[in-house]
Structure formats: structure tokens, C-alpha cells
Amino acid sequence: MLGPGDDAAVIGVPDGRVVVSTDLLLEGRHFRRDWSSGHDVGRKAAAQNLADVAAMGAVPTALVVGLGIPADLPLTWLDALADGFAEECAIVGASVAGGDITRCDLVVIGVTALGDLGGRAPVKRSGARPGQVVAVAGRLGYSAAGWALLEAGVPLGSSALQEAVAGHRRPCPPYAMGPVAAELGASAMLDVSDGLLQDLGHIAAASGVRVELDPQAFAVAEPVAAAAKELGTDPLEWVLTGGEDHALAAVFPADVRLPPSWQVVGRVVEGEGVLVYGREIGRTGWDHFG
Amino acid sequence: MLGPGDDAAVIGVPDGRVVVSTDLLLEGRHFRRDWSSGHDVGRKAAAQNLADVAAMGAVPTALVVGLGIPADLPLTWLDALADGFAEECAIVGASVAGGDITRCDLVVIGVTALGDLGGRAPVKRSGARPGQVVAVAGRLGYSAAGWALLEAGVPLGSSALQEAVAGHRRPCPPYAMGPVAAELGASAMLDVSDGLLQDLGHIAAASGVRVELDPQAFAVAEPVAAAAKELGTDPLEWVLTGGEDHALAAVFPADVRLPPSWQVVGRVVEGEGVLVYGREIGRTGWDHFG
């Protein structure tokens, strides 16, 4: 309704409630300029906040961005960053509504996303109940596989390996599945930012339940499988513990009829924690397993 | 409505539009830990964003905060920061609704403030018209005076000097005057973050008008006068060019009856730029003057 250039932006929120999520991304910690282009970083920074909004069952409407940039940052990098933000927003029909820019020794990106619930109740982390099913939508393991390939410095000799690396540079969250899950009666939902086991641990803790996963239920995507083969490791580790793909994980009533984008991977029972292969995986993740 | 602990917060916005403003504050650039306590930094970081929302004529409702903190940051500093945020929010009846925390080599604070227009039109920068009057509410020159005292390292031997330094560490924006100005028919408004001359230049440019200030109309506050005397400088320079006090500057119809918090300091005429002492002051500020 009113965008950049004034003290503040004005965003329409017909619902009367606004969903808001904020993140800080730091060069060196969350991205590397030698591994990711400005365009990649813009898309990734936008994606992780838009996914947080979608994970509440809301439709993202706007981003505001605070930028810290070094004096010697090429203007082309900054342009590409802005393009990345705008393109990721366009996927969901949102826009960049405003921002702030300041000098800093490293690139710092503060992103805040807003969204509209369209009359739905927000889907929190605390609503999972025993007897319900756990399902995921979107990619799992791509970002971890791509990161491992970049770290190993191996040649990306196949399109599958290239796709894994692209998935690290830029997640593809299934935004539309957030509101869809809410409409289907999801009782708990989040986006997978730290790794599926760890994030489902948040649902288990907030809901006072145990989540049991069926490792056979996970379809390992070809890029993740190819990367694991290249590096001689177990792809399921990346699927279960890899972060930053921003898939959605949700809990539904057992009788739900899910569209094909959702894959049932487990169930909710009485107890606590997250079990896979019948054993509990701590919040510290895979290291405690095996 | 739903605060920290989920992917995103949910804030009530009865108006159907939400005002949103974001800023990035960096240690070393926007604050120094040896000059300001965690509590001061929290209040200042909150204040500058809440003031942006008030400058649209809105009532601030919530803050979300992204924090980057060094591993060796004392927990007491972080607690004090959170207290500062909460206390500044309490002044306007807003709350800290959520956030994000990450490791960083320096303290980085990304703040986003939301606000509600209560049915009023947002007061933009572009509505000033020739024949209208320019007025300010709140402090001018405190932050610049306090900064100069700290930089000079002079002993703060009087309560006036201490008050100037306190004003640097923590601004006191006249939040309530934002909605009041909107109700009184303000045609343009902003908060003074970069200095009155520079910020009024934004209104002049956005509105396509000239602003003429009457330097005699400014009451120099005692702490600012005392600091200028101590350092042998002109207090009006701080009043006209000092930033970070987050006073409100607004343009009103000439026949407005303003409450005592507002002080008329100039008028809007045809033309461009900002004139004081009958001469134009460039956007680079006081250096071009005298």
C-alpha cells in the first residue's frame, strides 16, 4: 500500500492479524560470497523467512530488509541481491516493501517477512496429538548434500551433483503447502531449517508427544543420492539431519487425505522425543545415532 | 496474539493495514559497548524503530528482533538489552513479539517495528504544501551534544551535561505526538534521525516544496546549551544538524491549533531545499553553512 521511501511501509492485512518472522543472515556464517552469488543470497534470505510465514499456514505478503554492506561491495552484487529478493517474493505474490541500509565490515542481512492468515487459525508447534500422522512437503537433504560437495571441492560432473549444489545455494520451499496444510486441518507445522529430526523435536517438545519416523518412508531424491555416492556417505543422514532446505513438516489427523506433495513419514505417539529406527535421536542429531 | 517460540509471531492489526519499519544497528557504528550499556542499546534500538512507526501517525504495537552476538558477550549485557527493549516498548504499550539469535563477531541488532493506524491515513513525506507551517515535537541536539561530550572525554560535572550524555545513550521520542499530529491534519511527517535540516530536506524533495526555518524559533534546551558552552561551540548546530534524537517534524495547515508539545519553527513555500538564515543548506548539512 505504501512502499520504500517513507519512515515505514504500510501493508494491507485484510485478516486483522499479521504473521511476522525475522532472521539475521551473516556473511561467513550463513553464506559465503565465494560460494553464492548475490542473487543466490537474496533468494535464500527471502526464502527462509517466507517459509517461516508459510509454516504458520499464512500467505506471505511482504518483506522488509535491513542491509549492512562493506564499502567495497560491488554494486552488481547488491543489484543481484535485490533481484534475488524480488524474484523469491514474486513466487508467492509478495513484495519488498522497504528497508534500511548501513555500512558494515561484512554483509549483514536482516529480513522480516509478513503474512496473512486469510481467516485461518495459525498452525503452531504445540498442537500435535497421539494417533496423528507426520508428513513432509518439499526437499530434504539437498542443502546439506550441496554443502558437502562444495566443501569437498569435488568436480560437479553430473547434473544431479549440480542440482544438489544449486539446492544449497537456494532452497525451494513449498510455500503453497503451508496454507494447504492449514486448510487440511494440520495440528502442528514448522519449516525444516535446522534438520528434520531436530525440528520435529521442537514439535514433540511443544506438543508433549513422541514422534516416530519410518526411515523406509523417505524417498531420497536423486541429487542427494548422487552426492552421497560421490562422497561415500549415507544420504539418509542428510535427509534426516540436513538443515536449510525449508521443507514443511506437519502433523495431521490420521484420516486426512493428503495431496501428493505431502509424504507421510511417521506418526505421533504418547511420550517424548523423536524416534527413528526405534531409537531416540537427541536434539544434537545424527552424532548420537549409529 | 502469539509470541516467541513458533516460526513466526501473530500480531493483531484491527485496522486492516500494518505499518512496518526496520533498522539494522551495528556495534562500533551505531553504538559502542564502552559508551552505552546493554540497557541503553536496547532502549535506543527500540526507540528508533518505534519512532519511525509514530512518524507515520501510527501507534506502535510490536517489535521483532534479530540478534547477532559474540560468543564472549556477557549474559548480563544480553539480559539488559532485552530489558531495554521491553521497557521502551512498554512506553507505547507495544511488546517484543519474537526474534532470532545467531553468533556474530560483533553485536548486530535488526529491529522491525509494527504499528496500527487506527483508521487514519498514513502521514507520508510528500504531502507538504506551500503556505503550511513546519513544527517539531521532542528533543533536538541532545544526542549530538552528548556524543561530543563523550568524544571530548570531559568530566560531566553538572546534571545538564549528564543529561546531554544520557540523551545520546537513549533518545526520548515523543511517540504520542505522531498519532496526535495525524489527527490534527499533518500533511507530512518524519522522525529526525539524520538531523533536522537533512530530514526536512527529504520532506522538501518528496513534496516538491521549499522549507524555510526561523532559527530564532528554536528553544535550545539547557543540556544542549551547557554542552555547547563546555566545548565552546554553537548549540544551534547540534539542534539543526544533530541526528538520533528522534524528534518528530511535521507540516500542518497554517490555521492549525497545536498543543504545547509542538513548536512552530518554519514554513513551507514554493521552491526547493531547506533555507535557514535565508540561505540554502545542502543535504550534507552544516559544513556548507557559514
Side-chain angles (χ1 to χ4, degrees):
Chain A
M1 300 177 76
L2 177 63
D6 237 289
D7 293 86
V10 181
I11 317 286
V13 275
D15 179 81
R17 298 162 299 171
V18 65
V19 172
V20 57
S21 168
T22 198
D23 272 317
L24 210 52
L25 286 90
L26 308 171
E27 181 177 358
R29 184 165 183 88
H30 299 100
F31 60 88
R32 286 173 53 165
R33 275 197 275 155
D34 55 339
W35 282 9
S36 296
S37 68
H39 188 261
D40 290 331
V41 173
R43 293 199 67 156
K44 183 173 183 170
Q48 73 178 56
N49 276 271
L50 298 172
D52 277 331
V53 168
M56 302 300 289
V59 176
T61 51
L63 282 187
V64 290
V65 182
L67 272 183
I69 55 169
D72 63 352
L73 186 78
L75 197 58
T76 51
W77 199 92
L78 201 57
D79 284 344
L81 181 81
D83 287 346
F85 271 113
E87 283 177 29
E88 195 70 24
C89 280
I91 294 173
V92 289
S95 59
V96 179
D100 172 53
I101 196 159
T102 189
R103 282 269 172 272
C104 188
D105 289 340
L106 71 169
V107 178
V108 175
I109 307 174
V111 187
T112 303
L114 306 182
D116 192 81
L117 286 162
R120 294 177 295 276
V123 184
K124 301 187 282 185
R125 297 177 172 189
S126 55
R129 296 290 172 261
Q132 298 186 323
V133 296
V134 178
V136 293
R139 294 176 169 184
L140 289 170
Y142 278 64
S143 181
W147 189 87
L149 288 169
L150 286 170
E151 245 231 328
V154 299
L156 304 176
S158 73
S159 62
L161 297 183
Q162 289 156 17
E163 209 180 324
V165 167
H168 169 72
R169 292 191 174 119
R170 177 169 87 69
C172 297
Y175 301 114
M177 289 302 115
V180 163
E183 297 280 1
L184 289 169
S187 60
M189 181 159 54
L190 44 63
D191 77 304
V192 181
S193 49
D194 297 326
L196 185 65
L197 294 180
Q198 186 169 335
D199 285 321
L200 286 177
H202 298 320
I203 285 183
S207 300
V209 297
R210 166 173 289 175
V211 169
E212 287 185 354
L213 292 179
D214 173 9
Q216 313 299 329
F218 289 90
V220 177
E222 174 55 21
V224 179
K229 192 173 171 195
E230 177 74 24
L231 300 177
T233 186
D234 177 1
L236 203 58
E237 176 176 343
W238 290 330
V239 169
L240 293 177
T241 69
E244 303 204 345
D245 285 307
H246 302 287
L248 293 173
V251 176
F252 295 94
D255 60 355
V256 71
R257 295 190 58 170
L258 291 171
S261 299
W262 288 93
Q263 190 176 10
V264 173
V265 295
R267 59 192 189 122
V268 178
V269 298
E270 305 263 355
E272 59 183 38
V274 180
L275 262 67
V276 60
Y277 292 116
R279 281 184 286 177
E280 185 163 3
I281 307 296
R283 288 187 58 185
T284 48
W286 198 257
D287 291 345
H288 283 214
F289 176 72
Chain B
M1 301 178 74
L2 177 64
D6 237 288
D7 293 85
V10 181
I11 316 286
V13 275
D15 178 82
R17 300 163 297 172
V18 66
V19 173
V20 57
S21 169
T22 198
D23 273 317
L24 211 52
L25 286 89
L26 308 171
E27 180 178 358
R29 184 166 184 89
H30 298 99
F31 60 89
R32 286 173 54 163
R33 274 198 274 155
D34 54 339
W35 283 8
S36 296
S37 68
H39 188 261
D40 289 331
V41 173
R43 293 199 67 154
K44 183 173 182 170
Q48 73 178 56
N49 276 273
L50 298 172
D52 277 332
V53 168
M56 303 300 289
V59 175
T61 51
L63 283 186
V64 290
V65 182
L67 271 183
I69 56 168
D72 63 352
L73 186 78
L75 198 58
T76 50
W77 199 93
L78 201 58
D79 283 344
L81 182 81
D83 286 347
F85 271 113
E87 285 178 27
E88 196 69 24
C89 280
I91 295 173
V92 290
S95 58
V96 180
D100 172 52
I101 196 159
T102 189
R103 282 269 172 273
C104 189
D105 288 340
L106 71 169
V107 178
V108 175
I109 307 174
V111 188
T112 303
L114 306 182
D116 192 82
L117 286 162
R120 293 177 295 276
V123 183
K124 301 187 282 185
R125 298 177 171 188
S126 55
R129 296 292 172 259
Q132 298 187 324
V133 297
V134 178
V136 293
R139 294 174 169 186
L140 289 171
Y142 277 65
S143 182
W147 188 87
L149 289 169
L150 286 170
E151 234 220 344
V154 299
L156 305 176
S158 72
S159 63
L161 297 183
Q162 289 157 18
E163 208 179 322
V165 168
H168 169 72
R169 292 193 174 117
R170 176 169 89 67
C172 296
Y175 301 115
M177 290 302 115
V180 163
E183 297 279 2
L184 289 168
S187 60
M189 182 158 55
L190 44 63
D191 78 303
V192 181
S193 49
D194 297 327
L196 185 65
L197 294 180
Q198 187 170 333
D199 286 320
L200 286 176
H202 298 320
I203 285 183
S207 300
V209 298
R210 165 173 289 175
V211 169
E212 286 186 356
L213 293 180
D214 174 9
Q216 313 299 328
F218 290 90
V220 177
E222 173 56 21
V224 179
K229 192 173 171 195
E230 177 75 24
L231 300 178
T233 186
D234 177 1
L236 202 59
E237 176 176 343
W238 289 330
V239 168
L240 292 177
T241 69
E244 302 205 345
D245 285 307
H246 302 288
L248 293 173
V251 176
F252 295 94
D255 60 355
V256 70
R257 295 190 58 172
L258 293 171
S261 299
W262 288 93
Q263 189 177 12
V264 173
V265 295
R267 61 193 187 121
V268 178
V269 297
E270 305 265 355
E272 59 182 38
V274 180
L275 261 68
V276 61
Y277 292 117
R279 279 184 288 175
E280 185 162 2
I281 306 297
R283 287 188 59 185
T284 47
W286 199 258
D287 292 344
H288 283 213
F289 177 73

